């Protein structure tokens, strides 16, 4: 039924005499629309664009000097501009792209509309991944508290926590963590060290404490057979974390957590990253001399951000390899 409803949005599956601008190259061909992707054909060649790759589509009406067009920006940095013989055709294709690239619910995504292999089950597949890491065992167990997402609405229903931690401790930790994102198991090294993800604590300027949160982190430390010092990695610059304290959030006060140390890693927030990426794409699309290109590339700071992320990842890997468990977070615990 959902697929039939989706196909109804495609008024015309084929558009002739369409021009495609890719970079500086303009090509004449045919645009074909199906429910998962659009396909531009010219000669014996094809360009496929899956709707899920589209991050933005801008409709440009016709003018006395230019045909109606759609500028399509993809998540992999590909930018295409498609020119149509009429505004009506451009509008029809625009509606199709928006419908499939910005569905109202996840159930309308192509992955859910397609027939799924009966033998594949997402929950069982995820549990198998944890089984490969040795969980559950004497140190880690599967909590049922998030089966209906009542503990944290943005976490998976499959939540591994240290064994024998009372439910009251998990709920208490959730109240003390931004958006309820408690420290939960993401990866386990063969040496027993664990990698847990979470969000920032709600310490605020008064340096508030949570006995439950402290108990949960203590349990994570004990779940490591080596019981080496646990490393809390706050991926933000310290100045950003301090600024969050003014809003009632912040970072762990290590004196309140035994066997821990706190390390900041200087990765900028998502807004800075997004602006830097936009600047990078603009530079890559520009037509300037090499010297100006290199200066513009440097000024967008994208490579600095990439280096900061890789440095943090490399250090976390080193901590785990050395036998220390790691808890990692930024502000709200975005992936």
């Amino acid at each position: 039924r959902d697929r039939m409803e989706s196909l109804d949005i495609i008024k015309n599956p084929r558009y002739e005499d369409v021009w495609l601008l890719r970079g500086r190259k303009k090509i004449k061909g045919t645009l074909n629309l199906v429910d998962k992707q659009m396909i531009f054909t010219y000669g014996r060649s094809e360009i496929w664009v899956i709707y899920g790759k589209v991050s933005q589509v801008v409709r440009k009406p016709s003018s006395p000097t230019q045909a109606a067009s759609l500028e399509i920006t993809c998540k992999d940095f590909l930018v295409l501009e498609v020119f149509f013989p009429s505004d009506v055709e451009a509008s029809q294709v625009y509606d199709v792209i928006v419908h499939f690239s910005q569905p109202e619910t996840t159930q309308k995504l192509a992955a859910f509309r397609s027939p799924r292999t009966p033998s594949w089950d997402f929950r069982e597949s995820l549990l198998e991944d944890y089984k490969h890491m040795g969980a559950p065992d004497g140190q880690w167990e599967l909590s049922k508290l998030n089966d209906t997402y009542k503990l944290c609405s943005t976490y998976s229903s499959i939540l591994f926590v240290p064994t024998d931690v009372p439910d009251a401790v998990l709920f208490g930790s959730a109240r003390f963590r931004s958006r309820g994102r408690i420290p939960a198991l993401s990866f386990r090294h063969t040496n027993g060290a664990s990698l847990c993800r979470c969000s920032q604590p709600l310490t605020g300027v008064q340096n508030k404490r949570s006995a439950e949160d402290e108990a949960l982190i203590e349990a994570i430390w004990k779940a490591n057979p080596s019981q080496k010092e646990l490393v809390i990695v706050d991926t933000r610059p310290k100045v950003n974390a301090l600024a969050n304290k003014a809003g009632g959030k912040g970072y762990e006060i290590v004196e309140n957590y035994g066997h821990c140390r706190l390390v900041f890693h200087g990765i900028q927030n998502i807004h800075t990253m997004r602006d830097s990426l936009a600047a990078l794409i603009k530079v890559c699309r520009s037509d300037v001399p090499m010297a100006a290109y290199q200066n513009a590339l440097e000024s967008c700071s994208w490579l600095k951000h990439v280096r900061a992320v890789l440095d943090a990842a490399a250090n976390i890997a080193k901590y785990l390899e050395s036998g220390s468990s790691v808890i990692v977070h930024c502000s709200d615990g975005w992936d």
Side-chain angles (χ1 to χ4, degrees), residues 34-308:
V34 293
D35 64 336
K36 295 184 180 67
Q37 66 267 330
M38 62 187 103
I39 307 167
F40 182 80
T41 60
Y42 58 101
R44 306 177 86 179
S45 301
E46 295 180 343
I47 297 175
W48 289 44
V49 179
I50 299 171
Y51 297 122
K53 284 175 53 177
V54 176
S55 63
Q56 184 183 40
V57 55
V58 177
R59 181 171 44 189
K60 299 179 181 180
S62 62
S63 69
T65 58
Q66 186 165 286
S69 69
L70 300 178
E71 185 178 77
I72 303 165
T73 303
C74 298
K75 297 169 185 175
D76 61 356
F77 312 152
L78 175 66
V79 178
L80 304 170
E81 188 163 6
V82 186
F83 296 86
F84 297 87
S86 71
D87 286 282
V88 172
E89 291 176 302
S91 182
Q92 289 175 349
V93 175
Y94 174 84
D95 290 342
V96 171
I97 296 173
V98 170
H99 176 82
F100 289 117
S101 66
Q102 302 172 25
E104 296 173 359
T105 67
T106 55
Q107 295 302 315
K108 292 187 177 181
L109 289 168
F112 292 95
R113 295 197 313 271
S114 303
R116 279 169 277 177
T117 306
S119 61
W120 186 83
D121 180 272
F122 172 76
R123 182 180 177 86
E124 290 303 317
S125 178
L126 188 54
L127 288 171
E128 190 66 24
D129 285 342
Y130 278 104
K131 184 179 179 180
H132 289 159
M133 294 185 280
D137 63 358
Q139 284 76 43
W140 295 91
E141 65 182 9
L142 177 63
S143 172
K144 295 183 179 180
L145 277 187
N146 216 41
D147 280 356
T148 57
Y149 306 101
K150 66 179 181 180
L151 180 68
C152 179
S153 62
T154 56
Y155 264 6
S156 167
S157 60
I158 297 174
L159 202 65
F160 276 88
V161 297
T163 301
D164 297 329
V165 172
D167 290 352
V169 168
L170 299 178
F171 277 117
S173 177
R175 290 192 295 270
F176 190 65
R177 293 279 167 175
S178 179
R179 299 178 182 266
R181 292 171 177 156
I182 66 169
L185 183 66
S186 292
F187 172 78
R188 196 175 184 210
H189 197 284
T190 53
N191 61 20
S194 63
L195 174 64
C196 294
R197 52 81 61 86
C198 62
S199 60
Q200 64 184 330
L202 307 182
T203 49
V205 293
Q206 297 178 332
N207 289 338
K208 294 178 182 178
R209 299 180 63 171
S210 165
E212 294 89 351
D213 193 69
E214 292 166 21
L216 178 55
I217 290 184
E218 175 81 3
I220 291 172
W221 170 74
K222 287 182 177 178
N224 184 353
S226 73
Q227 294 197 348
K228 286 189 175 182
E229 182 181 52
L230 186 150
V231 183
I232 300 175
V233 174
D234 190 324
T235 61
R236 302 169 292 181
K238 188 173 182 179
V239 65
N240 291 21
L242 286 167
N244 272 270
K245 286 174 72 71
K249 301 178 182 180
Y251 54 90
E252 291 81 0
I253 308 303
V254 290
E255 291 78 12
N256 299 334
Y257 296 88
H259 319 289
C260 296
R261 67 183 172 107
L262 175 65
V263 180
F264 291 96
H265 265 287
I267 299 174
Q268 296 296 329
N269 63 38
I270 186 64
H271 309 292
T272 301
M273 291 288 205
R274 188 183 293 117
D275 291 343
S276 177
L277 179 57
L280 174 69
I281 294 172
K282 185 177 180 180
V283 170
C284 292
R285 295 182 65 195
S286 64
D287 185 12
V288 296
M290 180 55 68
Y293 173 83
Q294 291 175 334
N295 289 335
L297 186 63
E298 178 68 22
S299 65
C300 75
S301 299
W302 178 250
L303 296 179
K304 292 180 181 177
H305 296 318
V306 171
R307 177 175 178 175

Side-chain angles (χ1 to χ4, degrees), residues 302-323:
W302 178 250
L303 296 179
K304 292 180 181 177
H305 296 318
V306 171
R307 177 175 178 175
V309 172
L310 292 177
D311 281 345
N315 283 323
I316 290 171
K318 289 178 183 177
Y319 299 145
L320 292 169
E321 185 67 24
S322 70

